[in-house]
């Protein structure tokens, strides 16, 4: 069993993971192989490129956290359970995860862990993170910063956001992850009750260490969720979004826009399940790859029996600027219901020569023309 999982982990990383979650290597490998058998796309995520215990991917740099000036800022620090809740957020409930497991255990236990997180341990093993409850009918904007500093080789945290009926949350998430040879495991769980609205805007410009962002979304009747991500400073990121549209008229929109250079590696995987009628999902991924950058996209749309009139769309686009880049794309559909609409697609191309020629005829330099073309490719994001 141990040898069967070597395509996922280097020997060093596998042993350290097993020690961290206090299980044997064989038990960890068995869990991972079971996970891969249930989720084939997961096995293609390039973990072999991740060896956190050799030299650091990036040189050590001075690190400072910019002050958040917003009156609705929520700052969380790994290893620090104290919270300073701004007065503008007093209408919502925010708890450290350890405290929330006492007060809201039935809610947290009833929300299944992401499959990869479950392979590392049960929910009771989670110590760091937050539980945020938005009461019914409440509308709030939050500037959220999660700060990781590399004090431990594995810094793992989970964040739960539960929206009551008719609640509305716009969350600007700007994780701050210091450069170094450690691994950040950032879990995000969203539960949207009836007619709630959630917008998650992620900026990864301050993510400077290898990181895993796992997002699980569950939407009830009439609930909507928009997830946007941009930026990439880390040498290695895996982002997974698993969503279940459980209620009729639930809507999901996922968009990402990233520029990768040098030897950066970005893997994006999605799994969207339509369980109810008249649900709608849309996915649009755009990535620009330069130098020796690598990207992977694996997306699955599943329309289950009974989800009549569902609509699902998925498109991944890669712009390749160098012969040394690598882009892999595996979109897929699994449809078990008639009278639905579903499309998926993927493109990979270089810069538009006609656009570059047009710009040159207007007296624009080749360097500036290249920048304009890249910006145009990424601008269809919002």
């Amino acid at each position: 069993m141990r040898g069967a999982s070597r395509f996922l982990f280097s020997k060093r990383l596998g042993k350290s993971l097993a020690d961290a979650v206090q299980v044997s290597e064989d038990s960890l490998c068995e869990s991972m192989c079971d996970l891969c058998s249930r989720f084939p796309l997961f096995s293609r995520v390039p973990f072999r490129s991740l060896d956190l215990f050799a030299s650091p991917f990036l040189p050590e740099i001075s690190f400072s956290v910019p002050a958040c000036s917003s009156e609705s800022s929520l700052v969380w620090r790994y290893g620090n359970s104290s919270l300073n809740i701004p007065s503008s957020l007093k209408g919502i409930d925010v708890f450290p995860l350890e405290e929330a497991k006492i007060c809201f255990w039935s809610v947290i236990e009833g929300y299944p862990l992401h499959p990869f997180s479950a392979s590392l341990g049960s929910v009771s093993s989670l110590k760091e993170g937050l539980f945020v409850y938005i009461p019914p009918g409440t509308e709030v904007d939050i500037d959220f910063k999660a700060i990781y500093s590399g004090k431990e080789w594995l810094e793992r945290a989970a964040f739960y956001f539960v929206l009551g009926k008719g609640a509305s949350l716009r969350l600007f998430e700007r994780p701050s992850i210091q450069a170094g040879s450690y691994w950040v495991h950032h879990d995000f769980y969203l539960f949207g009750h009836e007619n709630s609205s959630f917008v998650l805007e992620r900026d990864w410009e301050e993510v400077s260490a290898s990181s895993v962002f796992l997002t699980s979304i569950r939407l009830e009747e009439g609930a909507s969720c928009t997830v946007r991500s941009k930026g990439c400073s880390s040498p290695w990121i895996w982002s997974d979004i698993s969503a279940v549209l459980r209620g009729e008229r639930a809507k999901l929109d996922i968009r990402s826009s990233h520029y990768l250079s040098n030897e950066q590696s970005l893997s994006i995987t999605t799994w969207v399940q339509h369980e109810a009628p008249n649900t709608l999902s849309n996915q649009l991924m755009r990535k620009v790859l330069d130098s020796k950058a690598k990207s992977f996209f694996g997306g699955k749309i599943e329309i289950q029996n009974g989800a009549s009139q569902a609509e699902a769309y998925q498109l991944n686009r890669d712009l390749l600027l160098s012969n040394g880049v690598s882009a892999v794309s595996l979109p897929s559909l699994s449809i078990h219901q008639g009278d639905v609409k579903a499309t998926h697609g993927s493109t990979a191309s270089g810069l538009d020569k006609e656009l570059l020629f047009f710009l040159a005829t207007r007296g624009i330099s080749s360097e500036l023309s290249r920048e304009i073309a890249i910006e145009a490719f990424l601008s269809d994001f919002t």
Side-chain angles (χ1 to χ4, degrees):
M1 184 67 70
R2 184 177 302 179
S5 68
R6 282 293 168 240
F7 65 94
L8 280 175
F9 297 115
S10 66
K11 183 176 181 180
R12 219 173 197 180
L13 178 56
K15 183 178 186 306
S16 298
L17 274 174
D19 291 343
V21 297
Q22 298 181 347
V23 298
S24 68
E25 283 189 78
D26 287 336
S27 296
L28 175 65
C29 292
E30 185 177 350
S31 297
M32 296 306 299
C33 289
D34 177 65
L35 174 66
C36 292
S37 67
R38 290 185 290 126
F39 303 95
L41 283 176
F42 178 82
S43 64
R44 298 181 180 269
V45 178
F47 274 92
R48 284 183 297 182
S49 64
L50 182 63
D51 189 348
L52 301 178
F53 310 100
S55 58
F57 285 100
L58 295 176
E60 293 296 333
I61 57 175
S62 58
F63 181 77
S64 61
V65 179
C68 297
S69 58
S70 171
E71 294 182 356
S72 298
S73 295
L74 180 61
V75 179
W76 172 90
R77 289 177 171 81
Y78 185 86
N80 186 350
S81 60
S82 62
L83 288 173
N84 182 19
I85 310 299
S87 58
S88 59
L89 300 181
K90 295 300 184 181
I92 67 176
D93 298 319
V94 183
F95 300 90
L97 187 58
E98 280 287 78
E99 182 179 337
K101 286 194 294 185
I102 299 174
C103 303
F104 304 99
W105 175 248
S106 60
V107 176
I108 295 175
E109 185 183 34
Y111 200 107
L113 284 177
H114 186 281
F116 181 69
S117 292
S119 70
L120 297 179
S122 66
V123 65
S124 59
S125 67
L126 290 171
K127 306 297 182 183
E128 300 284 346
L130 293 176
F131 181 93
V132 180
Y133 175 65
I134 313 297
T138 303
E139 296 184 11
V140 63
D141 293 350
I142 301 178
D143 184 359
F144 176 53
K145 180 180 285 290
I147 302 174
Y148 300 87
S149 57
K151 295 180 180 179
E152 301 177 13
W153 79 268
L154 171 62
E155 297 193 349
R156 182 187 180 200
F159 304 91
Y160 289 80
F161 287 81
V162 179
L163 278 65
K165 294 182 179 180
S168 176
L169 171 62
R170 189 179 188 94
L171 188 71
F172 303 91
E173 185 186 37
R174 300 180 296 121
S176 180
I177 302 177
Q178 182 177 356
S181 54
Y182 67 107
W183 184 18
V184 168
H185 189 115
H186 184 94
D187 282 16
F188 193 97
Y189 297 93
L190 166 71
F191 181 73
H193 284 276
E194 291 87 343
N195 300 314
S196 60
S197 173
F198 182 76
V199 177
L200 172 61
E201 298 190 4
R202 284 175 158 165
D203 188 340
W204 291 336
E205 286 298 334
E206 295 181 36
V207 177
S208 299
S210 297
S211 305
V212 175
F213 293 91
L214 306 180
T215 305
S216 296
I217 301 169
R218 186 162 60 180
L219 301 177
E220 297 295 340
E221 181 177 352
S224 65
C225 177
T226 299
V227 180
R228 296 190 178 104
S229 63
K230 66 177 183 177
C232 186
S233 298
S234 170
W236 190 94
I237 287 180
W238 172 35
S239 171
D240 179 84
I241 298 178
S242 299
V244 181
L245 280 61
R246 300 182 59 188
E248 190 171 355
R249 296 179 292 103
K251 297 180 180 179
L252 174 68
D253 186 52
I254 303 172
R255 296 172 185 259
S256 67
S257 176
H258 303 282
Y259 181 92
L260 309 174
S261 61
N262 299 322
E263 296 185 359
Q264 287 181 302
S265 177
L266 173 64
S267 296
I268 298 176
T269 52
T270 64
W271 183 21
V272 178
Q273 301 176 72
H274 292 253
E275 293 186 350
N278 300 302
T279 49
L280 172 65
S281 70
N282 183 60
Q283 304 175 54
L284 176 59
M285 314 297 174
R286 291 177 179 265
K287 303 183 294 294
V288 177
L289 288 79
D290 201 355
S291 187
K292 297 181 180 180
K294 298 179 181 179
S295 76
F296 173 88
F297 171 73
K300 180 179 180 180
I301 295 172
E302 182 176 353
I303 301 180
Q304 299 183 4
N305 187 31
S308 59
Q309 303 298 318
E311 296 185 31
Y313 307 98
Q314 180 187 87
L315 176 62
N316 178 68
R317 298 192 63 190
D318 293 315
L319 180 62
L320 313 180
L321 303 181
S322 168
N323 292 330
V325 303
S326 172
V328 178
S329 182
L330 295 173
S332 65
L333 297 175
S334 178
I335 301 176
H336 307 280
Q337 170 71 37
D339 65 346
V340 300
K341 295 180 181 179
T343 65
H344 69 304
S346 179
T347 66
S349 64
L351 290 170
D352 188 337
K353 294 182 178 180
E354 291 186 5
L355 174 59
L356 296 178
F357 176 77
F358 173 82
L359 294 173
T361 61
R362 267 54 181 178
I364 300 176
S365 67
S366 59
E367 182 179 350
L368 182 56
S369 296
R370 174 186 165 101
E371 293 179 4
I372 292 174
I374 293 173
E375 181 66 27
F377 178 85
L378 294 174
S379 63
D380 188 12
F381 173 56
T382 57

